[in-house]
Amino acid sequence: MIEGEVNNFIMVWMVATATFCYSHAVGKLVTNGGKARLVALFPAIVLLFLLPLRLTSAHLGPPSTFLLGWLSTFKLLLFAFHKGPLSSNPPLSLPYFLILASLPITFQHLKDPNPQTIPDPHNNKTHQIYRLGLMAILSACFFPLYGEKQDSFYPVFTLLLISLHMYVSMELVFGLASVAVSKLLHIKLDPHFDKPYLSTSLQDFWGRRWNIMVNRVLHPTVYDPVVRVSSHVVGRKWAPLPAVMATFAVSGLMHELVFYSFKREKPNTLERWEPSWDSLCFFLIHGACLTMEIGVKKKLGGRWRVPKAVSLPLTVAFVVSTGLWLFVPALARCGAFVKGKRESVAVVDYVRTLALT
């Protein structure tokens, strides 16, 4: 079981790498973005979307779905029209193209698309290493609390525990990826999170602090096109409102896809999908609330602002409460953490067996 899943994982990422090489060659041959490049890249986009179906484990399937089935496909869609992080003038070299296409990173203030001589900017490496080490310890401490022990917890505490584990794990995984790429290429990367617990509004939380990489992919892929279309209907001033709703709707659907990958047990099959739509509802509610927030700000024209001492706790409370109400229960129903713990135990037993033989 473990060997088969690892072999599938290696195969998936080898095929994905070859697909990215093909996409890079398409960019060289079809220099102008548009329909011709989109047609050439369409098979690559479909392949990347389907590749994660080869994986069923909680540790390998959902991350691959997020990276390949969501981020990479959206990046290639933008690349087809000469937009997004994969497009630059002059074109990215193949190694940089592969890294940007496959990982949830963006280069920060990148003037030279092939910056072999940019100095390493990490001035506080010790602090970063300590922080990642703390995140790793905290993440490991959560697993013993799942299973039989969590039955003795209050339901709200269990959901809060899962929320904290999810945030710590995301910080750890994204942080490790950024450190590895920064060390390898000696370049500065944009952060994935910017202290989301200090958000003073939903616009601040979603636009500037939470999962910044996803925001930078969704903005040109969904938000900008909807703004252009809506401008002809409601005017440029109010066009961002339907664009925000469309962006959150797409994000909700993609999260449902990632949750589906947690449930899957058989590789290479499209098992019956019975989503609860809680994740989609979570993002639609936040999209509606953010739309109202932007609308009120536009109406007031900046004449009145809520004090930070009030807006910060209100924002954090709203995000946490709606997450505990809709998002985290949907993730728990997928069996993500129980399945993850089961797989972790299986890996430990497998390694112990190998060591004894």
Side-chain angles (χ1 to χ4, degrees):
M1 176 66 178
I2 295 176
E3 291 180 347
E5 184 73 356
V6 171
N7 291 335
N8 284 338
F9 179 75
I10 294 173
M11 184 277 296
V12 163
W13 280 92
M14 287 180 65
V15 173
T17 301
T19 305
F20 294 139
C21 291
Y22 164 79
S23 302
H24 182 263
V26 168
K28 292 270 191 176
L29 296 173
V30 186
T31 55
N32 295 324
K35 293 182 179 179
R37 186 185 281 191
L38 177 61
V39 170
L41 290 175
F42 186 75
I45 294 171
V46 174
L47 179 60
L48 290 173
F49 185 79
L50 296 177
L51 268 178
L53 290 176
R54 294 278 301 181
L55 305 171
T56 59
S57 69
H59 290 87
L60 302 179
S64 296
T65 300
F66 171 68
L67 295 175
L68 299 178
W70 182 358
L71 291 188
S72 294
T73 55
F74 277 41
K75 289 177 183 178
L76 287 186
L77 280 172
L78 292 172
F79 182 61
F81 297 95
H82 211 281
K83 297 179 180 179
L86 300 179
S87 299
S88 63
N89 189 19
L92 288 168
S93 63
L94 181 57
Y96 284 87
F97 187 93
L98 291 175
I99 291 171
L100 279 179
S102 59
L103 296 177
I105 60 173
T106 54
F107 299 151
Q108 190 175 81
H109 307 301
L110 186 58
K111 297 179 181 179
D112 179 1
N114 305 295
Q116 288 85 358
T117 59
I118 292 181
D120 188 347
H122 292 285
N123 298 322
N124 199 358
K125 292 182 180 179
T126 303
H127 172 75
Q128 190 174 32
I129 292 174
Y130 284 152
R131 188 168 181 274
L132 290 176
L134 176 62
M135 291 293 179
I137 294 172
L138 288 175
S139 182
C141 290
F142 281 107
F143 281 108
L145 299 177
Y146 295 117
E148 296 180 359
K149 289 185 178 180
Q150 82 177 52
D151 295 337
S152 61
F153 299 153
Y154 289 108
V156 174
F157 180 78
T158 300
L159 294 178
L160 184 61
L161 186 73
I162 294 174
S163 302
L164 292 174
H165 189 187
M166 181 174 62
Y167 171 66
V168 168
S169 299
M170 291 176 65
E171 282 266 31
L172 176 63
V173 173
F174 290 158
L176 289 174
S178 295
V179 168
V181 173
S182 298
K183 186 69 175 178
L184 179 65
L185 302 180
H186 303 290
I187 57 175
K188 190 173 184 179
L189 302 175
D190 284 325
H192 293 92
F193 300 94
D194 184 14
K195 300 177 182 176
Y197 44 84
L198 296 181
S199 301
T200 56
S201 67
L202 289 179
Q203 193 173 16
D204 184 33
F205 178 84
W206 290 111
R208 291 181 286 270
R209 294 185 180 273
W210 182 261
N211 217 345
I212 299 170
M213 177 67 245
V214 171
N215 176 57
R216 293 192 174 181
V217 170
L218 286 173
H219 202 279
T221 311
V222 182
Y223 180 86
D224 289 344
V226 176
V227 164
R228 286 195 294 270
V229 173
S230 301
S231 297
H232 300 293
V233 181
V234 297
R236 185 67 182 86
K237 180 179 180 181
W238 301 106
L241 303 188
V244 167
M245 283 302 303
T247 303
F248 274 82
V250 171
S251 180
L253 289 173
M254 298 312 295
H255 277 82
E256 292 285 353
L257 177 65
V258 175
F259 284 7
Y260 168 67
S261 66
F262 275 111
K263 291 183 176 181
R264 296 182 61 254
E265 297 292 342
K266 299 178 181 179
N268 303 323
T269 59
L270 288 172
E271 299 173 23
R272 185 177 180 183
W273 188 10
E274 297 180 350
S276 64
W277 303 116
D278 286 351
S279 173
L280 178 61
C281 290
F282 169 82
F283 283 97
L284 290 178
I285 289 173
H286 274 255
C289 292
L290 179 54
T291 298
M292 289 188 289
E293 177 185 312
I294 295 173
V296 170
K297 288 179 178 178
K298 286 181 176 291
K299 197 70 175 178
L300 295 177
R303 293 189 297 270
W304 183 76
R305 292 180 180 274
V306 179
K308 185 176 180 179
V310 176
S311 62
L312 193 153
L314 284 179
T315 301
V316 173
F318 179 78
V319 172
V320 172
S321 61
T322 52
L324 295 178
W325 171 36
L326 292 169
F327 189 85
V328 180
L331 185 61
R333 278 193 292 271
C334 292
F337 294 98
V338 175
K339 188 177 182 181
K341 180 185 178 182
R342 184 174 69 244
E343 291 174 1
S344 299
V345 172
V347 170
V348 172
D349 291 341
Y350 178 75
V351 173
R352 185 183 296 124
T353 301
L354 289 179
L356 295 176
T357 55

